[in-house]
Amino acid sequence: MDDDIPYLLLTPGPLTTTRTVRQSMLKDWCTWDAEYNNLTNDIRRRLVTIATTEPGYTSVLMQGSGTFSVEATLGSVIPPDGKALLVDNGAYGARIVKIANRLGINNVVCKFPETQQADPEVIDKLLAADPAITHLAMVHCETTTGGLNPVDATGQLTRKHGTIFILDAMSSFAGMPIDVAAMGADYLISSANKCMQGVPGFGFVIARQSHLESTQGWARSLCLDLFDQWQEMESKGGKWRYTSPTHVVRAFLQAMSELESEGGVSARHKRYCENRDTLVSGMRSLGIQTLLNDELLSPFITTFLCPSDPAFSFDTFYQALKRRRFVIYPGKVTAADTFRVGTIGNAFPDDFRQLIGAVKESLDKLGIHIPHNTLNSPH
Ligand SMILES: *Cc1c(COP(=O)(O)O)cnc(C)c1O
């Protein structure tokens, strides 16, 4: 880790960025002229290139955190008489349900346990049984657990049933190879501060243009009107409606160049996988087990079961690690006591080897005893 940072953020975003990304924010640039608007269009074009090789896709940038873009999409691309099937197997799926209910969008919820993937067979039956369903929304990597949902199978089902597919790929986009067209998603949502390794301030939506074009006037919000924002960017050469996060945009451009120089998404995916493997095998060597089985683990964030020793407290463990310059993340699943460690951002396998040393030191210092067992051990 760089020696000028207070600690390494092992969270699912905002995450640790490079010094060069942070340095790009040290100037105040103008936002009203063609130079800036061209940068916006450059970002939009390059995002589409990362998302697919197929023609027919466009992108829209939206101010705010990632959830703003999820709300903008749900609120803008489902017509007033539409009905959505919402897949929920974690906190972010549940947030989609909350947004739909708040916006008064007619919906049915398809719920699965947090520790399981969504089941395409169940989704297929629900879509077949209810022809009123026009849209389906699902999370790709459920950041609650770090588990991945079966997007390709779901995409095939939405095609079969003629359903519009909205995918929250917040924590997976740019961290694993994805082709939005091949997977059959009509809308894919992510944000600046996850695997793109920018800083927080805006989200973006990759959209199948022919559908987005049909959504004029549907938005349930002025600021979060995806169509209007897209129209403004398209017709005014890259202009945002309302003030844009200038510094964040500059940092994002730098982050995009750094993704390219790293070798693109596949190289980044490989690094994240190595980070995760180093983390998981190191934790297991200390007797700390993952919540999910290996085949469900994503390279973005991993949930670990808290040691069963009654002396263990997440807060003191967290503080002990923070003093050693590692910031981890609390658990979010309801069924078990857990904590999470992110493996995305400007972090490398060596950082995770050091983290394991810090975890061992912290547990020893706090007097936490972990009985070793063979359950849940690496294959
Ligand atoms: C991070 C994340 C979001 C958005 O979170 P914000 O805090 O609004 O940026 C949404 N969905 C998933 C799956 C996420 O990981």
Side-chain angles (χ1 to χ4, degrees), residues 34-50 59 61 196 202 206 233-234 237-240 249-250 252-257 260:
E35 186 201 0
Y36 180 74
N37 292 343
N38 287 339
L39 298 182
T40 298
N41 269 346
D42 188 32
I43 289 176
R44 294 180 55 221
R45 187 182 48 74
R46 286 159 77 179
L47 280 175
V48 175
T49 311
I50 294 172
S59 71
L61 315 184
M196 288 299 300
F202 71 88
I206 313 292
M233 290 186 166
E234 283 287 299
K239 195 180 158 299
W240 299 59
V249 168
R250 291 276 172 170
F252 193 76
L253 266 174
Q254 177 63 28
M256 281 192 129
S257 303
E260 274 167 28

PDB file of all heavy atoms in Angstrom, residues 34-50 59 61 196 202 206 233-234 237-240 249-250 252-257 260:
ATOM      1  N   ALA A  34     -17.153  23.297 -24.508  1.00  0.00           N
ATOM      2  CA  ALA A  34     -17.085  22.072 -25.313  1.00  0.00           C
ATOM      3  C   ALA A  34     -15.997  21.133 -24.816  1.00  0.00           C
ATOM      4  O   ALA A  34     -16.151  19.912 -24.877  1.00  0.00           O
ATOM      5  CB  ALA A  34     -16.840  22.434 -26.782  1.00  0.00           C
ATOM      6  N   GLU A  35     -14.909  21.675 -24.270  1.00  0.00           N
ATOM      7  CA  GLU A  35     -13.804  20.812 -23.828  1.00  0.00           C
ATOM      8  C   GLU A  35     -14.307  19.820 -22.781  1.00  0.00           C
ATOM      9  O   GLU A  35     -14.086  18.613 -22.880  1.00  0.00           O
ATOM     10  CB  GLU A  35     -12.666  21.670 -23.254  1.00  0.00           C
ATOM     11  CG  GLU A  35     -11.440  20.838 -22.918  1.00  0.00           C
ATOM     12  CD  GLU A  35     -10.497  21.501 -21.912  1.00  0.00           C
ATOM     13  OE1 GLU A  35     -10.781  22.627 -21.457  1.00  0.00           O
ATOM     14  OE2 GLU A  35      -9.490  20.867 -21.576  1.00  0.00           O
ATOM     15  N   TYR A  36     -15.023  20.355 -21.795  1.00  0.00           N
ATOM     16  CA  TYR A  36     -15.532  19.489 -20.726  1.00  0.00           C
ATOM     17  C   TYR A  36     -16.599  18.537 -21.256  1.00  0.00           C
ATOM     18  O   TYR A  36     -16.607  17.340 -20.935  1.00  0.00           O
ATOM     19  CB  TYR A  36     -16.088  20.350 -19.580  1.00  0.00           C
ATOM     20  CG  TYR A  36     -16.636  19.519 -18.428  1.00  0.00           C
ATOM     21  CD1 TYR A  36     -15.778  18.856 -17.552  1.00  0.00           C
ATOM     22  CD2 TYR A  36     -18.010  19.407 -18.215  1.00  0.00           C
ATOM     23  CE1 TYR A  36     -16.267  18.095 -16.505  1.00  0.00           C
ATOM     24  CE2 TYR A  36     -18.508  18.645 -17.168  1.00  0.00           C
ATOM     25  CZ  TYR A  36     -17.637  17.995 -16.311  1.00  0.00           C
ATOM     26  OH  TYR A  36     -18.136  17.245 -15.278  1.00  0.00           O
ATOM     27  N   ASN A  37     -17.501  19.071 -22.063  1.00  0.00           N
ATOM     28  CA  ASN A  37     -18.555  18.207 -22.598  1.00  0.00           C
ATOM     29  C   ASN A  37     -17.979  17.054 -23.430  1.00  0.00           C
ATOM     30  O   ASN A  37     -18.494  15.940 -23.408  1.00  0.00           O
ATOM     31  CB  ASN A  37     -19.538  19.028 -23.431  1.00  0.00           C
ATOM     32  CG  ASN A  37     -20.346  19.985 -22.553  1.00  0.00           C
ATOM     33  OD1 ASN A  37     -20.400  19.826 -21.343  1.00  0.00           O
ATOM     34  ND2 ASN A  37     -20.952  20.983 -23.170  1.00  0.00           N
ATOM     35  N   ASN A  38     -16.868  17.355 -24.136  1.00  0.00           N
ATOM     36  CA  ASN A  38     -16.217  16.290 -24.908  1.00  0.00           C
ATOM     37  C   ASN A  38     -15.677  15.187 -23.998  1.00  0.00           C
ATOM     38  O   ASN A  38     -15.721  14.002 -24.350  1.00  0.00           O
ATOM     39  CB  ASN A  38     -15.072  16.856 -25.754  1.00  0.00           C
ATOM     40  CG  ASN A  38     -15.603  17.655 -26.941  1.00  0.00           C
ATOM     41  OD1 ASN A  38     -16.750  17.473 -27.352  1.00  0.00           O
ATOM     42  ND2 ASN A  38     -14.782  18.548 -27.470  1.00  0.00           N
ATOM     43  N   LEU A  39     -15.199  15.608 -22.827  1.00  0.00           N
ATOM     44  CA  LEU A  39     -14.703  14.601 -21.878  1.00  0.00           C
ATOM     45  C   LEU A  39     -15.847  13.694 -21.442  1.00  0.00           C
ATOM     46  O   LEU A  39     -15.695  12.474 -21.332  1.00  0.00           O
ATOM     47  CB  LEU A  39     -14.085  15.277 -20.642  1.00  0.00           C
ATOM     48  CG  LEU A  39     -12.863  16.172 -20.866  1.00  0.00           C
ATOM     49  CD1 LEU A  39     -12.349  16.706 -19.534  1.00  0.00           C
ATOM     50  CD2 LEU A  39     -11.761  15.415 -21.587  1.00  0.00           C
ATOM     51  N   THR A  40     -17.000  14.300 -21.184  1.00  0.00           N
ATOM     52  CA  THR A  40     -18.170  13.509 -20.791  1.00  0.00           C
ATOM     53  C   THR A  40     -18.529  12.508 -21.882  1.00  0.00           C
ATOM     54  O   THR A  40     -18.761  11.325 -21.615  1.00  0.00           O
ATOM     55  CB  THR A  40     -19.366  14.436 -20.506  1.00  0.00           C
ATOM     56  OG1 THR A  40     -19.023  15.291 -19.419  1.00  0.00           O
ATOM     57  CG2 THR A  40     -20.612  13.649 -20.139  1.00  0.00           C
ATOM     58  N   ASN A  41     -18.526  12.991 -23.113  1.00  0.00           N
ATOM     59  CA  ASN A  41     -18.868  12.076 -24.214  1.00  0.00           C
ATOM     60  C   ASN A  41     -17.817  10.990 -24.397  1.00  0.00           C
ATOM     61  O   ASN A  41     -18.143   9.855 -24.744  1.00  0.00           O
ATOM     62  CB  ASN A  41     -19.073  12.856 -25.505  1.00  0.00           C
ATOM     63  CG  ASN A  41     -20.531  13.258 -25.656  1.00  0.00           C
ATOM     64  OD1 ASN A  41     -21.392  12.737 -24.940  1.00  0.00           O
ATOM     65  ND2 ASN A  41     -20.806  14.179 -26.558  1.00  0.00           N
ATOM     66  N   ASP A  42     -16.564  11.346 -24.131  1.00  0.00           N
ATOM     67  CA  ASP A  42     -15.485  10.369 -24.219  1.00  0.00           C
ATOM     68  C   ASP A  42     -15.730   9.260 -23.192  1.00  0.00           C
ATOM     69  O   ASP A  42     -15.641   8.060 -23.499  1.00  0.00           O
ATOM     70  CB  ASP A  42     -14.160  11.107 -23.947  1.00  0.00           C
ATOM     71  CG  ASP A  42     -12.959  10.217 -24.201  1.00  0.00           C
ATOM     72  OD1 ASP A  42     -13.046   9.357 -25.096  1.00  0.00           O
ATOM     73  OD2 ASP A  42     -11.941  10.366 -23.481  1.00  0.00           O
ATOM     74  N   ILE A  43     -16.072   9.649 -21.974  1.00  0.00           N
ATOM     75  CA  ILE A  43     -16.380   8.667 -20.926  1.00  0.00           C
ATOM     76  C   ILE A  43     -17.552   7.795 -21.354  1.00  0.00           C
ATOM     77  O   ILE A  43     -17.509   6.565 -21.258  1.00  0.00           O
ATOM     78  CB  ILE A  43     -16.717   9.385 -19.589  1.00  0.00           C
ATOM     79  CG1 ILE A  43     -15.458  10.003 -18.990  1.00  0.00           C
ATOM     80  CG2 ILE A  43     -17.377   8.413 -18.601  1.00  0.00           C
ATOM     81  CD1 ILE A  43     -15.693  10.809 -17.720  1.00  0.00           C
ATOM     82  N   ARG A  44     -18.606   8.427 -21.878  1.00  0.00           N
ATOM     83  CA  ARG A  44     -19.804   7.667 -22.264  1.00  0.00           C
ATOM     84  C   ARG A  44     -19.479   6.645 -23.345  1.00  0.00           C
ATOM     85  O   ARG A  44     -19.928   5.499 -23.291  1.00  0.00           O
ATOM     86  CB  ARG A  44     -20.890   8.631 -22.764  1.00  0.00           C
ATOM     87  CG  ARG A  44     -21.424   9.559 -21.661  1.00  0.00           C
ATOM     88  CD  ARG A  44     -22.488  10.486 -22.214  1.00  0.00           C
ATOM     89  NE  ARG A  44     -23.543   9.739 -22.851  1.00  0.00           N
ATOM     90  CZ  ARG A  44     -24.135  10.085 -23.998  1.00  0.00           C
ATOM     91  NH1 ARG A  44     -23.763  11.183 -24.635  1.00  0.00           N
ATOM     92  NH2 ARG A  44     -25.103   9.362 -24.496  1.00  0.00           N
ATOM     93  N   ARG A  45     -18.684   7.063 -24.310  1.00  0.00           N
ATOM     94  CA  ARG A  45     -18.338   6.172 -25.414  1.00  0.00           C
ATOM     95  C   ARG A  45     -17.477   5.004 -24.909  1.00  0.00           C
ATOM     96  O   ARG A  45     -17.711   3.840 -25.236  1.00  0.00           O
ATOM     97  CB  ARG A  45     -17.568   6.986 -26.472  1.00  0.00           C
ATOM     98  CG  ARG A  45     -17.264   6.275 -27.773  1.00  0.00           C
ATOM     99  CD  ARG A  45     -16.452   7.169 -28.712  1.00  0.00           C
ATOM    100  NE  ARG A  45     -15.291   7.806 -28.058  1.00  0.00           N
ATOM    101  CZ  ARG A  45     -14.170   7.174 -27.733  1.00  0.00           C
ATOM    102  NH1 ARG A  45     -14.021   5.888 -27.985  1.00  0.00           N
ATOM    103  NH2 ARG A  45     -13.171   7.820 -27.144  1.00  0.00           N
ATOM    104  N   ARG A  46     -16.500   5.325 -24.065  1.00  0.00           N
ATOM    105  CA  ARG A  46     -15.596   4.277 -23.577  1.00  0.00           C
ATOM    106  C   ARG A  46     -16.313   3.302 -22.644  1.00  0.00           C
ATOM    107  O   ARG A  46     -15.982   2.114 -22.603  1.00  0.00           O
ATOM    108  CB  ARG A  46     -14.377   4.906 -22.908  1.00  0.00           C
ATOM    109  CG  ARG A  46     -13.422   5.503 -23.949  1.00  0.00           C
ATOM    110  CD  ARG A  46     -12.486   6.541 -23.371  1.00  0.00           C
ATOM    111  NE  ARG A  46     -11.373   5.988 -22.613  1.00  0.00           N
ATOM    112  CZ  ARG A  46     -10.435   6.742 -22.036  1.00  0.00           C
ATOM    113  NH1 ARG A  46     -10.487   8.052 -22.142  1.00  0.00           N
ATOM    114  NH2 ARG A  46      -9.448   6.178 -21.363  1.00  0.00           N
ATOM    115  N   LEU A  47     -17.284   3.784 -21.901  1.00  0.00           N
ATOM    116  CA  LEU A  47     -18.061   2.885 -21.034  1.00  0.00           C
ATOM    117  C   LEU A  47     -18.812   1.847 -21.869  1.00  0.00           C
ATOM    118  O   LEU A  47     -18.857   0.667 -21.516  1.00  0.00           O
ATOM    119  CB  LEU A  47     -19.063   3.678 -20.179  1.00  0.00           C
ATOM    120  CG  LEU A  47     -18.504   4.365 -18.936  1.00  0.00           C
ATOM    121  CD1 LEU A  47     -19.582   5.213 -18.271  1.00  0.00           C
ATOM    122  CD2 LEU A  47     -17.947   3.339 -17.940  1.00  0.00           C
ATOM    123  N   VAL A  48     -19.377   2.303 -22.976  1.00  0.00           N
ATOM    124  CA  VAL A  48     -20.107   1.372 -23.841  1.00  0.00           C
ATOM    125  C   VAL A  48     -19.138   0.326 -24.401  1.00  0.00           C
ATOM    126  O   VAL A  48     -19.461  -0.863 -24.474  1.00  0.00           O
ATOM    127  CB  VAL A  48     -20.848   2.119 -24.971  1.00  0.00           C
ATOM    128  CG1 VAL A  48     -21.493   1.133 -25.935  1.00  0.00           C
ATOM    129  CG2 VAL A  48     -21.905   3.053 -24.396  1.00  0.00           C
ATOM    130  N   THR A  49     -17.929   0.778 -24.747  1.00  0.00           N
ATOM    131  CA  THR A  49     -16.923  -0.158 -25.274  1.00  0.00           C
ATOM    132  C   THR A  49     -16.556  -1.217 -24.236  1.00  0.00           C
ATOM    133  O   THR A  49     -16.343  -2.378 -24.568  1.00  0.00           O
ATOM    134  CB  THR A  49     -15.648   0.619 -25.681  1.00  0.00           C
ATOM    135  OG1 THR A  49     -16.055   1.718 -26.487  1.00  0.00           O
ATOM    136  CG2 THR A  49     -14.693  -0.239 -26.457  1.00  0.00           C
ATOM    137  N   ILE A  50     -16.482  -0.802 -22.968  1.00  0.00           N
ATOM    138  CA  ILE A  50     -16.180  -1.783 -21.914  1.00  0.00           C
ATOM    139  C   ILE A  50     -17.347  -2.761 -21.759  1.00  0.00           C
ATOM    140  O   ILE A  50     -17.154  -3.943 -21.490  1.00  0.00           O
ATOM    141  CB  ILE A  50     -15.901  -1.055 -20.569  1.00  0.00           C
ATOM    142  CG1 ILE A  50     -14.629  -0.219 -20.674  1.00  0.00           C
ATOM    143  CG2 ILE A  50     -15.788  -2.060 -19.412  1.00  0.00           C
ATOM    144  CD1 ILE A  50     -14.376   0.688 -19.470  1.00  0.00           C
ATOM    145  N   SER A  59     -24.863   5.133 -23.268  1.00  0.00           N
ATOM    146  CA  SER A  59     -24.719   5.244 -21.818  1.00  0.00           C
ATOM    147  C   SER A  59     -25.145   6.625 -21.351  1.00  0.00           C
ATOM    148  O   SER A  59     -25.112   7.602 -22.104  1.00  0.00           O
ATOM    149  CB  SER A  59     -23.274   4.958 -21.397  1.00  0.00           C
ATOM    150  OG  SER A  59     -22.434   6.011 -21.791  1.00  0.00           O
ATOM    151  N   LEU A  61     -24.735   9.173 -17.829  1.00  0.00           N
ATOM    152  CA  LEU A  61     -24.126   9.397 -16.517  1.00  0.00           C
ATOM    153  C   LEU A  61     -25.144  10.124 -15.650  1.00  0.00           C
ATOM    154  O   LEU A  61     -25.919  10.944 -16.142  1.00  0.00           O
ATOM    155  CB  LEU A  61     -22.846  10.227 -16.636  1.00  0.00           C
ATOM    156  CG  LEU A  61     -21.857   9.853 -17.751  1.00  0.00           C
ATOM    157  CD1 LEU A  61     -20.601  10.719 -17.664  1.00  0.00           C
ATOM    158  CD2 LEU A  61     -21.490   8.380 -17.684  1.00  0.00           C
ATOM    159  N   MET A 196     -14.406   0.379 -11.348  1.00  0.00           N
ATOM    160  CA  MET A 196     -13.746   1.344 -12.226  1.00  0.00           C
ATOM    161  C   MET A 196     -12.626   2.069 -11.475  1.00  0.00           C
ATOM    162  O   MET A 196     -11.774   2.706 -12.074  1.00  0.00           O
ATOM    163  CB  MET A 196     -14.747   2.371 -12.783  1.00  0.00           C
ATOM    164  CG  MET A 196     -15.702   1.831 -13.834  1.00  0.00           C
ATOM    165  SD  MET A 196     -14.895   1.203 -15.332  1.00  0.00           S
ATOM    166  CE  MET A 196     -14.021   2.650 -15.933  1.00  0.00           C
ATOM    167  N   PHE A 202     -20.786   9.933  -9.090  1.00  0.00           N
ATOM    168  CA  PHE A 202     -21.808   9.693 -10.106  1.00  0.00           C
ATOM    169  C   PHE A 202     -21.940   8.200 -10.416  1.00  0.00           C
ATOM    170  O   PHE A 202     -21.054   7.402 -10.089  1.00  0.00           O
ATOM    171  CB  PHE A 202     -21.564  10.499 -11.397  1.00  0.00           C
ATOM    172  CG  PHE A 202     -20.392  10.060 -12.256  1.00  0.00           C
ATOM    173  CD1 PHE A 202     -20.543   9.090 -13.238  1.00  0.00           C
ATOM    174  CD2 PHE A 202     -19.140  10.658 -12.096  1.00  0.00           C
ATOM    175  CE1 PHE A 202     -19.471   8.700 -14.035  1.00  0.00           C
ATOM    176  CE2 PHE A 202     -18.060  10.275 -12.892  1.00  0.00           C
ATOM    177  CZ  PHE A 202     -18.223   9.295 -13.858  1.00  0.00           C
ATOM    178  N   ILE A 206     -25.678   1.718 -18.705  1.00  0.00           N
ATOM    179  CA  ILE A 206     -25.502   1.278 -20.093  1.00  0.00           C
ATOM    180  C   ILE A 206     -26.892   0.827 -20.542  1.00  0.00           C
ATOM    181  O   ILE A 206     -27.509  -0.008 -19.876  1.00  0.00           O
ATOM    182  CB  ILE A 206     -24.524   0.082 -20.193  1.00  0.00           C
ATOM    183  CG1 ILE A 206     -23.250   0.299 -19.370  1.00  0.00           C
ATOM    184  CG2 ILE A 206     -24.234  -0.271 -21.652  1.00  0.00           C
ATOM    185  CD1 ILE A 206     -22.324   1.371 -19.854  1.00  0.00           C
ATOM    186  N   MET A 233     -27.414  14.953 -22.899  1.00  0.00           N
ATOM    187  CA  MET A 233     -26.043  14.559 -23.247  1.00  0.00           C
ATOM    188  C   MET A 233     -25.907  14.293 -24.746  1.00  0.00           C
ATOM    189  O   MET A 233     -24.889  14.616 -25.355  1.00  0.00           O
ATOM    190  CB  MET A 233     -25.630  13.323 -22.436  1.00  0.00           C
ATOM    191  CG  MET A 233     -25.434  13.664 -20.966  1.00  0.00           C
ATOM    192  SD  MET A 233     -24.793  12.313 -19.970  1.00  0.00           S
ATOM    193  CE  MET A 233     -24.336  13.251 -18.484  1.00  0.00           C
ATOM    194  N   GLU A 234     -26.934  13.715 -25.340  1.00  0.00           N
ATOM    195  CA  GLU A 234     -26.897  13.409 -26.771  1.00  0.00           C
ATOM    196  C   GLU A 234     -27.011  14.668 -27.619  1.00  0.00           C
ATOM    197  O   GLU A 234     -26.261  14.867 -28.568  1.00  0.00           O
ATOM    198  CB  GLU A 234     -28.057  12.476 -27.140  1.00  0.00           C
ATOM    199  CG  GLU A 234     -27.847  11.043 -26.742  1.00  0.00           C
ATOM    200  CD  GLU A 234     -26.824  10.319 -27.613  1.00  0.00           C
ATOM    201  OE1 GLU A 234     -27.044  10.216 -28.830  1.00  0.00           O
ATOM    202  OE2 GLU A 234     -25.806   9.865 -27.063  1.00  0.00           O
ATOM    203  N   GLY A 237     -24.063  17.695 -26.969  1.00  0.00           N
ATOM    204  CA  GLY A 237     -22.638  17.354 -27.070  1.00  0.00           C
ATOM    205  C   GLY A 237     -21.986  16.920 -25.769  1.00  0.00           C
ATOM    206  O   GLY A 237     -20.782  17.119 -25.587  1.00  0.00           O
ATOM    207  N   GLY A 238     -22.734  16.337 -24.872  1.00  0.00           N
ATOM    208  CA  GLY A 238     -22.125  15.819 -23.644  1.00  0.00           C
ATOM    209  C   GLY A 238     -22.438  16.638 -22.407  1.00  0.00           C
ATOM    210  O   GLY A 238     -21.820  16.448 -21.362  1.00  0.00           O
ATOM    211  N   LYS A 239     -23.416  17.525 -22.501  1.00  0.00           N
ATOM    212  CA  LYS A 239     -23.758  18.374 -21.363  1.00  0.00           C
ATOM    213  C   LYS A 239     -24.600  17.602 -20.340  1.00  0.00           C
ATOM    214  O   LYS A 239     -25.473  16.825 -20.703  1.00  0.00           O
ATOM    215  CB  LYS A 239     -24.547  19.581 -21.873  1.00  0.00           C
ATOM    216  CG  LYS A 239     -24.669  20.707 -20.880  1.00  0.00           C
ATOM    217  CD  LYS A 239     -25.473  21.865 -21.474  1.00  0.00           C
ATOM    218  CE  LYS A 239     -26.064  22.730 -20.382  1.00  0.00           C
ATOM    219  NZ  LYS A 239     -26.978  22.005 -19.506  1.00  0.00           N
ATOM    220  N   TRP A 240     -24.304  17.810 -19.064  1.00  0.00           N
ATOM    221  CA  TRP A 240     -25.119  17.245 -17.987  1.00  0.00           C
ATOM    222  C   TRP A 240     -26.266  18.204 -17.706  1.00  0.00           C
ATOM    223  O   TRP A 240     -26.114  19.411 -17.880  1.00  0.00           O
ATOM    224  CB  TRP A 240     -24.324  17.107 -16.695  1.00  0.00           C
ATOM    225  CG  TRP A 240     -23.119  16.222 -16.707  1.00  0.00           C
ATOM    226  CD1 TRP A 240     -22.015  16.345 -17.499  1.00  0.00           C
ATOM    227  CD2 TRP A 240     -22.866  15.102 -15.838  1.00  0.00           C
ATOM    228  NE1 TRP A 240     -21.101  15.376 -17.191  1.00  0.00           N
ATOM    229  CE2 TRP A 240     -21.598  14.605 -16.164  1.00  0.00           C
ATOM    230  CE3 TRP A 240     -23.587  14.488 -14.809  1.00  0.00           C
ATOM    231  CZ2 TRP A 240     -21.024  13.514 -15.509  1.00  0.00           C
ATOM    232  CZ3 TRP A 240     -23.018  13.403 -14.157  1.00  0.00           C
ATOM    233  CH2 TRP A 240     -21.763  12.912 -14.515  1.00  0.00           C
ATOM    234  N   VAL A 249     -15.370  13.612 -12.345  1.00  0.00           N
ATOM    235  CA  VAL A 249     -15.332  13.271 -13.766  1.00  0.00           C
ATOM    236  C   VAL A 249     -13.881  13.194 -14.246  1.00  0.00           C
ATOM    237  O   VAL A 249     -13.476  12.261 -14.948  1.00  0.00           O
ATOM    238  CB  VAL A 249     -16.153  14.297 -14.585  1.00  0.00           C
ATOM    239  CG1 VAL A 249     -15.905  14.140 -16.075  1.00  0.00           C
ATOM    240  CG2 VAL A 249     -17.645  14.137 -14.267  1.00  0.00           C
ATOM    241  N   ARG A 250     -13.073  14.166 -13.823  1.00  0.00           N
ATOM    242  CA  ARG A 250     -11.645  14.144 -14.188  1.00  0.00           C
ATOM    243  C   ARG A 250     -10.965  12.909 -13.604  1.00  0.00           C
ATOM    244  O   ARG A 250     -10.163  12.248 -14.267  1.00  0.00           O
ATOM    245  CB  ARG A 250     -10.955  15.413 -13.651  1.00  0.00           C
ATOM    246  CG  ARG A 250     -11.388  16.678 -14.335  1.00  0.00           C
ATOM    247  CD  ARG A 250     -10.601  16.887 -15.611  1.00  0.00           C
ATOM    248  NE  ARG A 250     -11.165  18.016 -16.354  1.00  0.00           N
ATOM    249  CZ  ARG A 250     -10.594  18.562 -17.415  1.00  0.00           C
ATOM    250  NH1 ARG A 250      -9.444  18.095 -17.863  1.00  0.00           N
ATOM    251  NH2 ARG A 250     -11.163  19.567 -18.043  1.00  0.00           N
ATOM    252  N   PHE A 252     -12.336  10.161 -12.906  1.00  0.00           N
ATOM    253  CA  PHE A 252     -12.854   8.976 -13.595  1.00  0.00           C
ATOM    254  C   PHE A 252     -12.111   8.739 -14.910  1.00  0.00           C
ATOM    255  O   PHE A 252     -11.788   7.600 -15.255  1.00  0.00           O
ATOM    256  CB  PHE A 252     -14.352   9.140 -13.848  1.00  0.00           C
ATOM    257  CG  PHE A 252     -15.038   7.867 -14.264  1.00  0.00           C
ATOM    258  CD1 PHE A 252     -15.324   6.879 -13.340  1.00  0.00           C
ATOM    259  CD2 PHE A 252     -15.393   7.650 -15.586  1.00  0.00           C
ATOM    260  CE1 PHE A 252     -15.947   5.699 -13.720  1.00  0.00           C
ATOM    261  CE2 PHE A 252     -16.016   6.473 -15.980  1.00  0.00           C
ATOM    262  CZ  PHE A 252     -16.304   5.489 -15.035  1.00  0.00           C
ATOM    263  N   LEU A 253     -11.847   9.840 -15.626  1.00  0.00           N
ATOM    264  CA  LEU A 253     -11.092   9.709 -16.883  1.00  0.00           C
ATOM    265  C   LEU A 253      -9.714   9.106 -16.627  1.00  0.00           C
ATOM    266  O   LEU A 253      -9.254   8.234 -17.361  1.00  0.00           O
ATOM    267  CB  LEU A 253     -10.907  11.088 -17.512  1.00  0.00           C
ATOM    268  CG  LEU A 253     -11.927  11.505 -18.548  1.00  0.00           C
ATOM    269  CD1 LEU A 253     -11.656  12.947 -18.943  1.00  0.00           C
ATOM    270  CD2 LEU A 253     -11.848  10.600 -19.777  1.00  0.00           C
ATOM    271  N   GLN A 254      -9.067   9.585 -15.568  1.00  0.00           N
ATOM    272  CA  GLN A 254      -7.762   9.044 -15.204  1.00  0.00           C
ATOM    273  C   GLN A 254      -7.900   7.559 -14.858  1.00  0.00           C
ATOM    274  O   GLN A 254      -7.109   6.721 -15.299  1.00  0.00           O
ATOM    275  CB  GLN A 254      -7.193   9.845 -14.010  1.00  0.00           C
ATOM    276  CG  GLN A 254      -5.868   9.325 -13.486  1.00  0.00           C
ATOM    277  CD  GLN A 254      -4.747   9.402 -14.514  1.00  0.00           C
ATOM    278  OE1 GLN A 254      -4.760  10.262 -15.404  1.00  0.00           O
ATOM    279  NE2 GLN A 254      -3.776   8.490 -14.422  1.00  0.00           N
ATOM    280  N   ALA A 255      -8.952   7.227 -14.100  1.00  0.00           N
ATOM    281  CA  ALA A 255      -9.176   5.826 -13.711  1.00  0.00           C
ATOM    282  C   ALA A 255      -9.415   4.952 -14.942  1.00  0.00           C
ATOM    283  O   ALA A 255      -8.957   3.810 -15.007  1.00  0.00           O
ATOM    284  CB  ALA A 255     -10.349   5.733 -12.742  1.00  0.00           C
ATOM    285  N   MET A 256     -10.115   5.509 -15.939  1.00  0.00           N
ATOM    286  CA  MET A 256     -10.363   4.755 -17.176  1.00  0.00           C
ATOM    287  C   MET A 256      -9.059   4.453 -17.900  1.00  0.00           C
ATOM    288  O   MET A 256      -8.848   3.346 -18.399  1.00  0.00           O
ATOM    289  CB  MET A 256     -11.245   5.569 -18.126  1.00  0.00           C
ATOM    290  CG  MET A 256     -12.697   5.538 -17.787  1.00  0.00           C
ATOM    291  SD  MET A 256     -13.652   6.231 -19.163  1.00  0.00           S
ATOM    292  CE  MET A 256     -14.837   4.901 -19.365  1.00  0.00           C
ATOM    293  N   SER A 257      -8.173   5.455 -17.952  1.00  0.00           N
ATOM    294  CA  SER A 257      -6.881   5.233 -18.610  1.00  0.00           C
ATOM    295  C   SER A 257      -6.083   4.184 -17.855  1.00  0.00           C
ATOM    296  O   SER A 257      -5.394   3.356 -18.456  1.00  0.00           O
ATOM    297  CB  SER A 257      -6.071   6.526 -18.667  1.00  0.00           C
ATOM    298  OG  SER A 257      -6.817   7.498 -19.333  1.00  0.00           O
ATOM    299  N   GLU A 260      -7.178   0.763 -18.686  1.00  0.00           N
ATOM    300  CA  GLU A 260      -6.597   0.343 -19.962  1.00  0.00           C
ATOM    301  C   GLU A 260      -5.145  -0.077 -19.792  1.00  0.00           C
ATOM    302  O   GLU A 260      -4.720  -1.118 -20.311  1.00  0.00           O
ATOM    303  CB  GLU A 260      -6.705   1.464 -21.000  1.00  0.00           C
ATOM    304  CG  GLU A 260      -8.048   1.435 -21.714  1.00  0.00           C
ATOM    305  CD  GLU A 260      -8.326   2.708 -22.514  1.00  0.00           C
ATOM    306  OE1 GLU A 260      -7.372   3.366 -22.977  1.00  0.00           O
ATOM    307  OE2 GLU A 260      -9.520   3.034 -22.672  1.00  0.00           O
TER     308      GLU A 260
END
